[in-house]
Amino acid sequence: MHESTGAGPGLTALAGTNGEIRYEVSELTRVEGEGSLKLVVRDGEVVTAQLAIFEAPRYFEQLVVGRTPDETIDIVTRICGICPVAYQMSAVHAFEDLFGVEIDPSVRSLRRLLYCGEWIESHALHIYLLHASDFLGYPSAIEMAADHRELVAQGLRLKRLGNRLLEVIGGRAIHPVSVRVGGFSRAPRRRELEALLPDFERAIGEAQATLDWVATLVPPDFVREPLLLALRHPTEYPYNDGRIVSNDGIDLAPGEWGQAFREEQVAWSHALQARSHTGGVYLLGPSARVTLTPETLHPLAAAGLARTGQAEMIRRNVFSSIVARGVELLHAVAEARDIIDGYREPDVPLAPWTARPGIAAWATEAPRGLLFHRYELDEEGLIRHAQIVPPTSQNQGAIERDLAGFAPSMISLPHEEATHRFEQLIRSYDPCISCAAHFLDLDVDGVTT
């Protein structure tokens, strides 16, 4: 097996003076976007644990001001090339909730199918190309492929199938263009989706094999009891609908995120961080969903989760999130197969609607966790103000808390090995840094960088 620790090219590990140890990664690798890590331990106590997002601020919340709802849907999908559907879905559901739009049941199924495609391509990307090499001791998937060619090829096939599904439904594999308030500008013909069924039948076996494989990977020893947050639906695994729930009793409508949570700026990041109104941090994403909503998993995914015996580790050990992604990958492939098999072309692919002023707000489940949108619309039905809260913004506090909790067990290791483990911990969250970067009101006087 390759013996490299897999540390990124931006790694810096510094032994300080007076009992201080510093761990720094100037450029995180195998994450989407640009960020860095700074961890300082002094006399055995963690005094600094920072995930710094230095990617240039983005202006999407301002770009949509003065735009129509459909223009907004097309703009926000450009926020991310990995999870564009999530941005469309949170926006389109927010507008439809405000306008009282009733969509065709087949349109609702088609939206879930579109979300399945996004989860498949995103989870396959993370498992095979970003995170697995940490467990196997390779610096990247390229080196891993030299010894595990078929394994990486399997991941690429799954990712390609997810992108193909986005292309058939959304018109493009990246940044789909067919989603509209009220439905789709064009719904696919049944024959177009049926043509994918053989690939999905094969992919179910590959997704099951993926889950069985990631369940054999041995995570670093680190357990804690996080606050978990996700959507919960009474009969469906959460994609587009459900209530916002937590393992400590939160229960909110999907547009009421702001009643329990807020955004705040920290000096070391271009991304706002989210906290509960009491100041607590919380965890989103596959581990939260699998823990909070296991009863709505597809039967094949539920059986796969039981087969791993790792439900408790998924909840308590962040490194076991790769198993949770394997569970959700299998779920998305199996549900996609079922939706395609029962697909009926919608009678009304695009329902009529009339814009009105008010607050449009909704949350859906992006691959990385709950994504909240809130829009204020004026008398002409144009956007007056927008708030977009990505999953990575909400997970930043949990990442920094985990870094601080993990550090004491790492300081006895060689610097390079410990620093690599800290970087892997961040990668376990699959952060989408570009999504999280915000436009900030900056006061440069007195700011220490």
Side-chain angles (χ1 to χ4, degrees), residues 119 185 335 389 401:
W119 277 30
S185 59
E335 181 172 352
V389 188
R401 177 207 56 201

Side-chain angles (χ1 to χ4, degrees), residues 232-238 289 293-299 331 335:
R232 177 189 288 148
H233 189 277
T235 61
E236 299 173 337
Y237 200 67
R289 290 186 295 251
T293 63
E295 69 281 358
T296 54
L297 281 166
H298 189 282
H331 171 92
E335 181 172 352

Side-chain angles (χ1 to χ4, degrees), residues 220-396:
D221 185 14
F222 174 57
V223 296
R224 76 282 192 257
E225 295 294 340
L227 174 62
L228 305 174
L229 193 76
L231 290 180
R232 177 189 288 148
H233 189 277
T235 61
E236 299 173 337
Y237 200 67
Y239 285 162
N240 300 56
D241 297 302
R243 294 184 64 83
I244 301 172
V245 300
S246 70
N247 55 341
D248 71 343
I250 290 173
D251 187 355
L252 301 169
E256 296 176 347
W257 180 88
Q259 292 189 15
F261 305 98
R262 68 176 190 272
E263 291 183 297
E264 61 184 40
Q265 182 180 345
V266 295
W268 56 88
S269 180
H270 287 175
L272 300 179
Q273 295 195 5
R275 298 283 189 275
S276 71
H277 285 318
T278 59
V281 302
Y282 54 97
L283 184 153
L284 307 175
S287 295
R289 290 186 295 251
V290 169
T291 300
L292 294 174
T293 63
E295 69 281 358
T296 54
L297 281 166
H298 189 282
L300 290 177
L305 173 61
R307 193 165 60 247
T308 70
Q310 294 195 30
E312 182 177 358
M313 288 303 292
I314 285 172
R315 173 176 59 85
R316 301 185 68 201
N317 188 330
V318 63
F319 296 99
S320 293
S321 63
I322 194 170
V323 180
R325 283 187 172 83
V327 171
E328 290 195 337
L329 175 64
L330 177 53
H331 171 92
V333 171
E335 181 172 352
R337 188 272 313 269
D338 291 351
I339 293 175
I340 293 172
D341 191 49
Y343 175 65
R344 176 184 62 81
E345 295 177 27
D347 295 327
V348 184
L350 189 61
W353 55 275
T354 301
R356 68 178 184 87
I359 303 298
W362 202 265
T364 69
E365 285 284 352
R368 290 154 188 80
L370 188 122
L371 169 62
F372 177 70
H373 285 220
R374 182 182 184 276
Y375 301 96
E376 296 178 17
L377 281 73
D378 64 19
E379 295 295 330
E380 297 180 359
L382 303 179
I383 308 300
R384 181 162 51 202
H385 181 268
Q387 180 189 20
I388 299 172
V389 188
T392 295
S393 293
Q394 299 176 74
N395 271 335
Q396 283 178 93

Side-chain angles (χ1 to χ4, degrees), residues 44-298:
E45 180 180 350
V46 178
V47 295
T48 301
Q50 296 175 353
L51 170 62
I53 293 178
F54 55 82
E55 184 159 330
R58 308 175 78 199
Y59 303 93
F60 282 96
E61 289 163 319
Q62 188 61 35
L63 287 172
V64 301
V65 172
R67 302 286 187 168
T68 68
D70 276 333
E71 286 176 325
T72 298
I73 291 167
D74 281 340
I75 290 171
V76 297
T77 189
R78 270 72 176 178
I79 291 175
C80 185
I82 300 173
C83 47
V85 172
Y87 285 92
Q88 290 182 318
M89 290 295 104
S90 290
V92 76
H93 281 284
F95 294 132
E96 289 175 353
D97 182 59
L98 174 62
F99 303 154
V101 181
E102 295 290 335
I103 62 171
D104 189 295
S106 291
V107 167
R108 188 177 186 277
S109 295
L110 201 57
R111 285 178 174 173
R112 285 189 66 83
L113 185 58
L114 188 65
Y115 234 136
C116 285
E118 179 159 283
W119 277 30
I120 293 166
E121 60 88 9
S122 179
H123 284 344
L125 170 68
H126 175 84
I127 291 170
Y128 284 95
L129 302 183
L130 302 181
H131 198 183
S133 53
D134 283 320
F135 291 94
L136 300 181
Y138 296 91
S140 75
I142 295 174
E143 286 84 355
M144 189 175 82
D147 296 332
H148 303 278
R149 183 180 182 86
E150 179 50 38
L151 194 64
V152 175
Q154 178 171 270
L156 290 173
R157 284 193 299 271
L158 286 164
K159 184 183 186 307
R160 189 158 48 243
L161 182 58
N163 283 121
R164 177 60 181 151
L165 190 55
L166 265 63
E167 185 177 18
V168 171
I169 302 171
R172 299 201 311 199
I174 300 174
H175 307 319
V177 293
S178 67
V179 176
R180 289 290 178 267
V181 177
F184 290 89
S185 59
R186 179 192 180 275
R189 301 288 182 260
R190 177 170 174 79
R191 65 177 181 275
E192 294 177 274
L193 291 175
E194 278 185 326
L196 300 177
L197 275 175
D199 291 330
F200 273 96
E201 293 292 350
R202 184 205 71 240
I204 285 176
E206 293 187 330
Q208 288 176 320
T210 299
L211 176 55
D212 292 342
W213 167 60
V214 295
T216 68
L217 302 176
V218 180
D221 185 14
F222 174 57
V223 296
R224 76 282 192 257
E225 295 294 340
L227 174 62
L228 305 174
L229 193 76
L231 290 180
R232 177 189 288 148
H233 189 277
T235 61
E236 299 173 337
Y237 200 67
Y239 285 162
N240 300 56
D241 297 302
R243 294 184 64 83
I244 301 172
V245 300
S246 70
N247 55 341
D248 71 343
I250 290 173
D251 187 355
L252 301 169
E256 296 176 347
W257 180 88
Q259 292 189 15
F261 305 98
R262 68 176 190 272
E263 291 183 297
E264 61 184 40
Q265 182 180 345
V266 295
W268 56 88
S269 180
H270 287 175
L272 300 179
Q273 295 195 5
R275 298 283 189 275
S276 71
H277 285 318
T278 59
V281 302
Y282 54 97
L283 184 153
L284 307 175
S287 295
R289 290 186 295 251
V290 169
T291 300
L292 294 174
T293 63
E295 69 281 358
T296 54
L297 281 166
H298 189 282

